[in-house]
Amino acid sequence: MEAIAELRAQLHAHLSSMYATGAVDAYFQQLQELDEGSGGTGYVAEVLNIFLNDGDRILRDIDALLNQPLHEVEFCKVDALVQQLKGSSSTVGAKKVNLPCMDFQKFYVAKNKKGCLMTLTLLKGDFCDVRNKLQTLMQLEQQIASLVSMW
């Protein structure tokens, strides 16, 4: 029981840190409440894993598009991918990913490849930070669930 209490304290501190650093917002809280209302079926973990996998793929695709010679960069495809990442990050409450997606727009609208590459670098770093935080959260929740099921 003591181990469960300690893990729950770690989980609470981790969640507080995620909100305090702006990694997630109120939409993330709403997503968590859906899981709590469904009896902890793992819905949130599934949604977060889809977000993380899609985000990795989208960032690779944007990177590939922007690593073409300027006259070959398809900025309309960059736009579509950034909008997709922006939408999915909003859905899961990943505020730290959503904000640079909004900054990205001014560069691809202006067909500014250098600005796009600079923003992509920032976006990749923010996505990596959010991914690490979400994975830690899911690991803590899984450890708690495992211990609770043994009691």
Side-chain angles (χ1 to χ4, degrees):
M1 283 303 238
E2 192 174 310
I4 295 171
E6 186 177 316
L7 283 172
R8 284 188 174 143
Q10 286 178 19
L11 178 64
H12 180 71
H14 185 68
L15 273 168
S16 295
S17 169
M18 289 173 66
Y19 285 106
T21 60
V24 294
D25 60 19
Y27 290 110
F28 181 75
Q29 184 175 357
Q30 290 175 358
L31 184 64
Q32 283 193 302
E33 289 169 1
L34 284 175
D35 202 37
E36 291 166 4
S38 66
T41 59
Y43 171 75
V44 171
E46 184 178 335
V47 169
L48 293 177
N49 279 316
I50 291 169
F51 164 70
L52 295 174
N53 291 331
D54 286 352
D56 283 331
R57 178 192 48 81
I58 290 168
L59 289 171
R60 279 192 309 272
D61 291 350
I62 293 170
D63 199 16
L65 286 168
L66 291 175
N67 279 305
Q68 301 293 320
L70 179 59
H71 66 282
E72 293 180 22
V73 174
E74 297 179 71
F75 287 99
C76 62
K77 287 185 179 180
V78 173
D79 175 25
L81 289 166
V82 171
Q83 292 302 322
Q84 186 179 354
L85 184 59
K86 181 182 172 196
S88 62
S89 65
S90 291
T91 300
V92 299
K95 179 181 174 182
K96 192 172 184 176
V97 174
N98 191 4
L99 293 175
C101 287
M102 293 189 291
D103 291 338
F104 218 121
Q105 183 177 12
K106 63 184 167 195
F107 294 114
Y108 60 72
V109 166
K111 299 187 183 330
N112 180 339
K113 180 180 172 180
K114 185 177 179 180
C116 284
L117 287 168
M118 179 186 68
T119 306
L120 178 61
T121 300
L122 295 172
L123 181 55
K124 284 179 178 179
D126 288 344
F127 183 82
C128 183
D129 183 47
V130 168
R131 180 194 317 113
N132 292 338
K133 289 178 185 328
L134 291 174
Q135 287 174 335
T136 298
L137 174 83
M138 289 186 288
Q139 288 169 356
L140 287 168
E141 288 177 338
Q142 187 175 22
Q143 289 172 358
I144 291 168
S146 293
L147 288 174
V148 167
S149 69
M150 290 192 311
W151 289 98

